[in-house]
Amino acid sequence: MSIDEKPQKGVTRRTFIKGAVLGAAGVAAGGMLAGCGVKEETKGPSPTTSNGTSKPSFLTPPDPIPDSEIKETKTADVVVVGAGCGGLIAAVSAAEAGAKTILLEKGDKPTTGAMWMAAINSSLQKKLGIEIDRDEVVAEICRYGGHLVDQRLVNLWADKSGEFMDWFMPLMEAAGYETILETDLKEGYYKSYPVGHVVIKPPKQDIGHLGDYGSPLFIPVLENKAKELGVEIYYKMPGVQLEQDNSGRVTGIIAGNSENYTRFNANKGIILCTGGYARNEEMIKELCPTAQYSGSSIAPPGNTGDGIKMAMWVGAAIDPIQAMMVFDRGLVGKDGKLGAPWKGGYLRIGSQPFLRVNINGERFVNEDLPYDFICNAGVMQPGHVWWQIWDGKWREDITRFHTTICSRVVPHPEAPPRDGLDHVEKELENFVKQGLLIKADTIDELVQKMGVPADTFKATIARYNELAKKGKDEDFGKLAFRLSTIEKAPFYAAKLSSALLCNITGLRINTKMQVLNEDLDPIPGLYAAGNDSGSFFAFSYPQMFGGLALGRIATFARLAGQYAAAE
């Protein structure tokens, strides 16, 4: 390419279909590497979509909404679309910078979800004497993504995340909360980093469950801060179409529904923070096909790709290969169905490094891997699912395994509150009653209920017990203290696939959070943060950085609000 030639284009509604080979084969392969979900043996993605057209419906811009259907017009400097963590932070940041700000949300309240928020060089880390090599962190994040990322954005997070936390933590303290740092790290082949900040209710308790810490605490604080700063918040107001002037600048957004559309004009910019497309079956199938094979989903129901679709309709580029965050905790439902509507269960101990076998009863992997790596390994197996096996001494085993971040079960003084073993026991018994988990008094009964080849399975159990007693995994190299015999009744088996959380790729952006077109030039007036934005992750989520997804969302949302307000 000569110095005068344009750089390689991104992927847009125009170039997506041109890349049909990538869409049907390359993206599918990339999706496997990305840790997308799994399903029973199926044929590859069809070259046509479910509606029989030659391209997916979300790539076809809808007709412009006529003025006759718009009942009201409102104007602000900055309009933020989506009231999750990213949208609230963007709105607060824009308002702090002096911009008249409007926040739109399709639901009837803000969206909560994540717990850990990663940052480096925060005042809390400095207070605790924790030093993290910034360049090592950047290199490791880029390595997980095979450098199919914009390193300038990774650099930006590394340089600005601590600054964000130092703005965020006083807000939480003023609301009566405390921010703690998880410093007890996992041992193993994959290096872990003390980056995960978590908001808790003081004083810190050993036992805590979902809702007791993280976003269920800080989201209401951010919502109240936005209102205090004069942000106008409109709930039940989904974004529908972006509007552009003749120069191509995004000037506003039409939101609402056909009975009551409102035009929201933005003098300075629109910021998209709608949560990504983890609940849009069609987008998953076309952009990250293997994710449709996950057995369960904990993605918010409203994350249907609204922001990404609207941006693509005005010429925005997306990451060339799409990827999902998946955890190896997706209990396959009783009907065995994988994919949408993702009705399987969520097994909290699915990430514990117990024995895993395929549907032929064969062990196939070192079970002590990052969550999505296990999912990748499962995709490679017959039926694209796996069984997790453990026995009656599971309490002792889980305590010894010493997993961390969100797979941690046993409380630790250097970690946020955890569920504890008693809570897990109740959860397991409930899954047994629901028919989602197998419990048996003997190995023979267990294998009969599982329906896998008995001789092969029992030979696998015998070999695994032998390795555990030797204290050396001669077959797959798992660390000795994470081996465990399968000898003490009762015996358990869980049929697992991946559990779907969110997309980790999306719209191409630059370091000012501006959305880019297919020539990778900014689309004037349009910004994105959170799971609507991309250019930061690829292939696999860097799980050993606890809370990196939320840390990126928060840091970049603050920057998006500031940059939009400064236009």
Side-chain angles (χ1 to χ4, degrees):
M1 181 173 73
S2 74
I3 195 169
D4 296 322
E5 287 179 314
K6 285 278 190 182
Q8 184 176 350
K9 294 181 178 181
V11 180
T12 69
R13 69 182 191 271
R14 288 183 289 244
T15 61
F16 183 88
I17 299 304
K18 295 178 183 177
V21 173
L22 176 62
V27 172
M32 289 185 185
L33 293 172
C36 297
V38 294
K39 187 181 180 180
E40 304 291 349
E41 192 70 43
T42 62
K43 296 180 180 180
S46 169
T48 59
T49 61
S50 56
N51 62 14
T53 62
S54 60
K55 62 180 180 180
S57 63
F58 66 88
L59 292 179
T60 302
D63 294 332
I65 295 171
D67 286 345
S68 61
E69 294 187 23
I70 298 171
K71 307 303 182 184
E72 192 173 6
T73 297
K74 296 182 179 294
T75 301
D77 295 323
V78 175
V79 177
V80 182
V81 189
C85 176
L88 283 165
I89 290 171
V92 167
S93 300
E96 278 187 340
K100 180 181 178 182
T101 304
I102 286 175
L103 175 61
L104 310 179
E105 166 58 38
K106 71 190 293 185
D108 59 4
K109 60 183 178 181
T111 301
T112 61
M115 308 300 168
W116 283 257
M117 188 180 289
I120 61 174
N121 293 323
S122 71
S123 59
L124 178 57
Q125 289 164 318
K126 293 173 183 176
K127 178 181 177 181
L128 296 173
I130 292 172
E131 296 183 3
I132 299 173
D133 187 326
R134 177 263 194 200
D135 292 341
E136 178 185 325
V137 163
V138 169
E140 186 71 351
I141 293 170
C142 291
R143 184 180 70 85
Y144 269 86
H147 267 276
L148 193 65
V149 301
D150 188 335
Q151 186 177 333
R152 294 168 295 185
L153 284 164
V154 182
N155 291 343
L156 185 64
W157 171 81
D159 295 335
K160 293 291 186 178
S161 58
E163 180 181 312
F164 166 80
M165 286 306 306
D166 290 348
W167 170 81
F168 177 80
M169 290 188 291
L171 289 178
M172 299 304 113
E173 184 177 356
Y177 298 131
E178 178 185 358
T179 303
I180 64 172
L181 183 73
E182 181 162 353
T183 56
D184 177 54
L185 304 180
K186 183 179 178 181
E187 301 173 53
Y189 296 128
Y190 298 87
K191 184 173 180 178
S192 190
Y193 296 83
V195 296
H197 297 68
V198 183
V199 175
I200 66 166
K201 301 174 184 176
K204 177 182 174 292
Q205 305 295 313
D206 286 340
I207 300 297
H209 309 299
L210 292 178
D212 293 339
Y213 54 90
S215 63
L217 302 185
F218 70 71
I219 288 293
V221 176
L222 293 171
E223 182 187 23
N224 289 336
K225 184 66 175 178
K227 292 176 180 177
E228 175 189 316
L229 291 168
V231 175
E232 297 178 27
I233 306 177
Y234 295 86
Y235 292 111
K236 297 184 179 180
M237 187 66 72
V240 179
Q241 280 184 17
L242 296 172
E243 293 193 301
Q244 294 172 288
D245 62 19
N246 292 333
S247 72
R249 179 181 181 84
V250 172
T251 58
I253 183 171
I254 298 174
N257 55 63
S258 58
E259 298 176 359
N260 190 26
Y261 283 128
T262 300
R263 171 179 282 125
F264 292 91
N265 293 324
N267 294 330
K268 295 189 174 186
I270 301 281
I271 306 175
L272 300 173
C273 299
T274 67
Y277 60 87
R279 285 286 184 174
N280 186 310
E281 181 181 5
E282 183 188 33
M283 292 184 75
I284 288 172
K285 178 179 178 181
E286 297 298 327
L287 298 179
C288 192
T290 53
Q292 68 183 304
Y293 304 146
S294 50
S296 67
S297 174
I298 59 172
N303 291 3
T304 53
D306 302 356
I308 293 176
K309 289 188 292 184
M310 287 188 289
M312 293 179 74
W313 296 336
V314 297
I318 61 174
D319 289 320
I321 291 179
Q322 295 287 301
M324 288 276 168
M325 184 193 299
V326 289
F327 287 176
D328 50 346
R329 305 174 193 172
L331 268 173
V332 178
K334 288 186 290 185
D335 61 1
K337 176 175 169 50
L338 303 183
W342 302 285
K343 290 186 176 180
Y346 185 82
L347 183 65
R348 200 171 308 277
I349 66 167
S351 295
Q352 296 296 321
F354 289 120
L355 171 66
R356 288 174 171 84
V357 302
N358 61 23
I359 60 175
N360 293 328
E362 305 160 329
R363 188 183 180 204
F364 62 92
V365 71
N366 176 343
E367 297 89 354
D368 185 23
L369 297 177
Y371 312 145
D372 59 346
F373 287 15
I374 288 290
C375 297
N376 295 343
V379 166
M380 299 296 290
Q381 297 306 303
H384 312 312
V385 294
W386 63 92
W387 288 96
Q388 185 182 41
I389 312 297
W390 65 96
D391 72 358
K393 61 183 187 310
W394 60 268
R395 287 172 170 260
E396 171 190 329
D397 289 338
I398 288 177
T399 301
R400 184 181 68 257
F401 291 159
H402 185 232
T403 62
T404 59
I405 319 174
C406 66
S407 69
R408 186 193 299 272
V409 172
V410 180
H412 190 281
E414 297 176 24
R418 302 310 296 140
D419 288 308
L421 295 168
D422 291 342
H423 181 83
V424 168
E425 183 167 17
K426 293 177 183 177
E427 198 170 59
L428 296 181
E429 291 304 317
N430 285 335
F431 281 135
V432 171
K433 291 177 183 177
Q434 294 170 32
L436 295 176
L437 184 66
I438 295 172
K439 183 178 181 181
D441 293 327
T442 67
I443 292 294
D444 284 333
E445 181 188 359
L446 188 74
V447 70
Q448 186 273 329
K449 290 181 176 180
M450 290 168 61
V452 301
D455 290 344
T456 302
F457 179 73
K458 288 193 280 189
T460 298
I461 294 290
R463 174 60 175 167
Y464 192 67
N465 287 341
E466 176 189 350
L467 296 173
K469 291 172 181 177
K470 281 184 178 181
K472 182 173 177 58
D473 186 358
E474 298 170 348
D475 294 345
F476 291 94
K478 184 161 68 176
L479 294 175
F481 74 94
R482 292 197 174 110
L483 292 165
S484 56
T485 57
I486 312 294
E487 293 181 317
K488 181 179 179 180
F491 302 96
Y492 297 85
K495 194 173 189 179
L496 294 173
S497 65
S498 22
L500 183 60
L501 280 78
C502 62
N503 54 289
I504 57 174
T505 49
L507 298 167
R508 295 294 307 273
I509 60 171
N510 62 17
T511 55
K512 291 185 177 181
M513 308 302 119
Q514 294 171 297
V515 176
L516 306 180
N517 63 21
E518 64 178 308
D519 293 318
L520 304 187
D521 295 323
I523 298 175
L526 187 60
Y527 299 80
N531 297 329
D532 282 349
S533 65
S535 307
F536 190 92
F537 296 117
F539 297 116
S540 291
Y541 177 63
Q543 177 228 315
M544 307 313 292
F545 296 86
L548 182 57
L550 184 58
R552 175 194 69 130
I553 288 170
T555 301
F556 288 178
R558 180 151 174 79
L559 291 173
Q562 292 171 335
Y563 278 123
E567 274 209 24

